[in-house]
Short mmCIF file of all heavy atoms in Angstrom, two decimals:
data_model
loop_
_atom_site.label_atom_id
_atom_site.label_comp_id
_atom_site.label_asym_id
_atom_site.label_seq_id
_atom_site.Cartn_x
_atom_site.Cartn_y
_atom_site.Cartn_z
N GLY A 292 -13.29 -6.27 -16.40
CA GLY A 292 -13.69 -5.78 -15.11
C GLY A 292 -14.82 -4.78 -15.14
O GLY A 292 -15.00 -4.05 -16.07
N ARG A 293 -15.58 -4.76 -14.05
CA ARG A 293 -16.63 -3.77 -13.86
C ARG A 293 -16.45 -2.99 -12.56
O ARG A 293 -17.20 -2.07 -12.29
CB ARG A 293 -18.00 -4.47 -13.81
CG ARG A 293 -18.31 -5.36 -14.99
CD ARG A 293 -19.72 -5.87 -14.93
NE ARG A 293 -20.02 -6.54 -13.66
CZ ARG A 293 -19.72 -7.80 -13.45
NH1 ARG A 293 -19.13 -8.52 -14.35
NH2 ARG A 293 -20.02 -8.34 -12.26
N HIS A 294 -15.48 -3.38 -11.72
CA HIS A 294 -15.36 -2.78 -10.40
C HIS A 294 -13.97 -2.17 -10.22
O HIS A 294 -13.00 -2.69 -10.69
CB HIS A 294 -15.59 -3.85 -9.34
CG HIS A 294 -16.95 -4.50 -9.38
ND1 HIS A 294 -18.04 -4.01 -8.72
CD2 HIS A 294 -17.39 -5.55 -10.11
CE1 HIS A 294 -19.09 -4.75 -8.96
NE2 HIS A 294 -18.72 -5.72 -9.81
N VAL A 295 -13.92 -1.09 -9.47
CA VAL A 295 -12.64 -0.50 -9.08
C VAL A 295 -11.94 -1.42 -8.11
O VAL A 295 -12.55 -1.93 -7.17
CB VAL A 295 -12.84 0.89 -8.41
CG1 VAL A 295 -11.50 1.43 -7.90
CG2 VAL A 295 -13.49 1.85 -9.38
N SER A 296 -10.65 -1.68 -8.32
CA SER A 296 -9.96 -2.68 -7.51
C SER A 296 -8.84 -2.10 -6.68
O SER A 296 -7.95 -2.81 -6.22
CB SER A 296 -9.37 -3.78 -8.42
OG SER A 296 -8.42 -3.23 -9.30
N GLY A 297 -8.86 -0.81 -6.40
CA GLY A 297 -7.86 -0.24 -5.52
C GLY A 297 -8.38 0.03 -4.16
O GLY A 297 -9.30 -0.62 -3.66
N GLY A 298 -7.77 0.98 -3.46
CA GLY A 298 -8.19 1.29 -2.10
C GLY A 298 -9.60 1.83 -2.03
O GLY A 298 -10.24 1.76 -1.01
N GLY A 299 -10.09 2.44 -3.13
CA GLY A 299 -11.47 2.86 -3.16
C GLY A 299 -11.71 4.28 -2.68
O GLY A 299 -12.83 4.74 -2.62
N ARG A 300 -10.64 5.02 -2.31
CA ARG A 300 -10.84 6.36 -1.75
C ARG A 300 -10.14 7.46 -2.55
O ARG A 300 -10.30 8.62 -2.28
CB ARG A 300 -10.33 6.40 -0.30
CG ARG A 300 -11.02 5.46 0.63
CD ARG A 300 -10.66 5.77 2.07
NE ARG A 300 -9.25 5.68 2.35
CZ ARG A 300 -8.61 4.56 2.63
NH1 ARG A 300 -9.28 3.44 2.63
NH2 ARG A 300 -7.31 4.55 2.89
N ARG A 301 -9.35 7.07 -3.53
CA ARG A 301 -8.54 8.07 -4.23
C ARG A 301 -9.00 8.25 -5.65
O ARG A 301 -9.51 7.32 -6.27
CB ARG A 301 -7.08 7.71 -4.22
CG ARG A 301 -6.79 6.29 -4.78
CD ARG A 301 -5.32 5.99 -4.71
NE ARG A 301 -5.02 4.60 -4.90
CZ ARG A 301 -5.03 3.96 -6.08
NH1 ARG A 301 -5.36 4.60 -7.17
NH2 ARG A 301 -4.75 2.68 -6.16
N PRO A 302 -8.90 9.44 -6.23
CA PRO A 302 -9.24 9.61 -7.63
C PRO A 302 -8.20 8.96 -8.51
O PRO A 302 -7.06 8.82 -8.12
CB PRO A 302 -9.22 11.15 -7.81
CG PRO A 302 -8.26 11.61 -6.77
CD PRO A 302 -8.42 10.68 -5.61
N VAL A 303 -8.62 8.52 -9.68
CA VAL A 303 -7.70 7.86 -10.60
C VAL A 303 -7.14 8.91 -11.56
O VAL A 303 -7.87 9.56 -12.28
CB VAL A 303 -8.42 6.75 -11.40
CG1 VAL A 303 -7.48 6.13 -12.41
CG2 VAL A 303 -8.93 5.70 -10.42
N ALA A 304 -5.84 9.09 -11.55
CA ALA A 304 -5.16 10.02 -12.42
C ALA A 304 -3.89 9.40 -12.95
O ALA A 304 -3.12 8.86 -12.17
CB ALA A 304 -4.84 11.31 -11.68
N PRO A 305 -3.64 9.44 -14.26
CA PRO A 305 -2.45 8.76 -14.78
C PRO A 305 -1.18 9.46 -14.37
O PRO A 305 -1.09 10.68 -14.30
CB PRO A 305 -2.63 8.86 -16.30
CG PRO A 305 -3.54 10.03 -16.48
CD PRO A 305 -4.44 10.10 -15.28
N VAL A 306 -0.13 8.63 -14.08
CA VAL A 306 1.18 9.13 -13.75
C VAL A 306 2.15 8.40 -14.65
O VAL A 306 2.16 7.18 -14.65
CB VAL A 306 1.54 8.89 -12.28
CG1 VAL A 306 2.96 9.37 -12.01
CG2 VAL A 306 0.58 9.65 -11.37
N ARG A 307 3.00 9.11 -15.41
CA ARG A 307 3.95 8.44 -16.25
C ARG A 307 5.02 7.75 -15.48
O ARG A 307 5.54 8.27 -14.52
CB ARG A 307 4.65 9.44 -17.20
CG ARG A 307 5.49 8.80 -18.31
CD ARG A 307 6.15 9.81 -19.16
NE ARG A 307 7.19 10.49 -18.42
CZ ARG A 307 8.44 10.01 -18.29
NH1 ARG A 307 8.75 8.85 -18.78
NH2 ARG A 307 9.37 10.68 -17.64
N ARG A 308 5.30 6.49 -15.81
CA ARG A 308 6.27 5.70 -15.10
C ARG A 308 7.43 5.34 -16.03
O ARG A 308 7.28 5.23 -17.21
CB ARG A 308 5.65 4.40 -14.60
CG ARG A 308 4.60 4.64 -13.52
CD ARG A 308 3.88 3.35 -13.19
NE ARG A 308 4.82 2.31 -12.78
CZ ARG A 308 5.23 2.15 -11.54
NH1 ARG A 308 4.77 2.94 -10.58
NH2 ARG A 308 6.07 1.18 -11.24
N ARG A 309 8.62 5.15 -15.39
CA ARG A 309 9.78 4.77 -16.16
C ARG A 309 9.67 3.29 -16.50
O ARG A 309 9.31 2.47 -15.69
CB ARG A 309 11.07 4.98 -15.34
CG ARG A 309 12.31 4.61 -16.11
CD ARG A 309 13.49 4.68 -15.19
NE ARG A 309 13.40 3.71 -14.13
CZ ARG A 309 13.77 2.42 -14.26
NH1 ARG A 309 14.18 1.97 -15.39
NH2 ARG A 309 13.64 1.57 -13.25
N THR A 310 9.97 2.91 -17.72
CA THR A 310 10.00 1.49 -18.11
C THR A 310 11.21 1.32 -19.01
O THR A 310 11.95 2.24 -19.34
CB THR A 310 8.75 1.06 -18.85
OG1 THR A 310 8.58 1.93 -19.97
CG2 THR A 310 7.54 1.18 -17.95
N ARG A 311 11.44 0.11 -19.47
CA ARG A 311 12.64 -0.20 -20.20
C ARG A 311 12.58 0.21 -21.67
O ARG A 311 13.62 0.26 -22.34
CB ARG A 311 12.97 -1.71 -20.09
CG ARG A 311 13.30 -2.12 -18.70
CD ARG A 311 13.64 -3.60 -18.69
NE ARG A 311 13.99 -4.06 -17.34
CZ ARG A 311 15.19 -3.96 -16.78
NH1 ARG A 311 16.15 -3.43 -17.46
NH2 ARG A 311 15.39 -4.39 -15.57
N THR A 312 11.42 0.44 -22.24
CA THR A 312 11.35 0.74 -23.65
C THR A 312 10.47 1.92 -23.91
O THR A 312 9.66 2.35 -23.07
CB THR A 312 10.74 -0.46 -24.42
OG1 THR A 312 9.40 -0.62 -24.04
CG2 THR A 312 11.48 -1.75 -24.12
N LEU A 313 10.55 2.49 -25.13
CA LEU A 313 9.72 3.61 -25.50
C LEU A 313 8.24 3.20 -25.51
O LEU A 313 7.37 4.00 -25.19
CB LEU A 313 10.13 4.15 -26.87
CG LEU A 313 11.41 4.95 -26.91
CD1 LEU A 313 11.82 5.21 -28.35
CD2 LEU A 313 11.24 6.27 -26.17
N VAL A 314 7.95 1.98 -25.87
CA VAL A 314 6.58 1.50 -25.85
C VAL A 314 6.02 1.59 -24.47
O VAL A 314 4.93 2.07 -24.22
CB VAL A 314 6.49 0.06 -26.40
CG1 VAL A 314 5.10 -0.49 -26.22
CG2 VAL A 314 6.91 0.01 -27.86
N ALA A 315 6.82 1.12 -23.48
CA ALA A 315 6.37 1.17 -22.07
C ALA A 315 6.24 2.58 -21.58
O ALA A 315 5.36 2.91 -20.82
CB ALA A 315 7.33 0.39 -21.21
N ALA A 316 7.13 3.46 -22.04
CA ALA A 316 7.09 4.84 -21.56
C ALA A 316 5.83 5.56 -22.01
O ALA A 316 5.40 6.51 -21.38
CB ALA A 316 8.33 5.60 -22.09
N THR A 317 5.21 5.11 -23.13
CA THR A 317 4.01 5.75 -23.62
C THR A 317 2.77 4.88 -23.48
O THR A 317 1.74 5.15 -24.05
CB THR A 317 4.19 6.09 -25.11
OG1 THR A 317 4.49 4.92 -25.84
CG2 THR A 317 5.30 7.10 -25.29
N ALA A 318 2.89 3.82 -22.63
CA ALA A 318 1.75 2.90 -22.44
C ALA A 318 0.60 3.60 -21.80
O ALA A 318 0.75 4.57 -21.06
CB ALA A 318 2.18 1.70 -21.60
#
Side-chain angles (χ1 to χ4, degrees):
R293 305 186 306 275
H294 300 269
V295 175
S296 61
R300 299 192 300 276
R301 53 180 166 78
V303 177
V306 177
R307 190 182 70 83
R308 293 172 56 88
R309 182 187 65 82
T310 57
R311 293 183 181 275
T312 66
L313 285 170
V314 173
T317 57

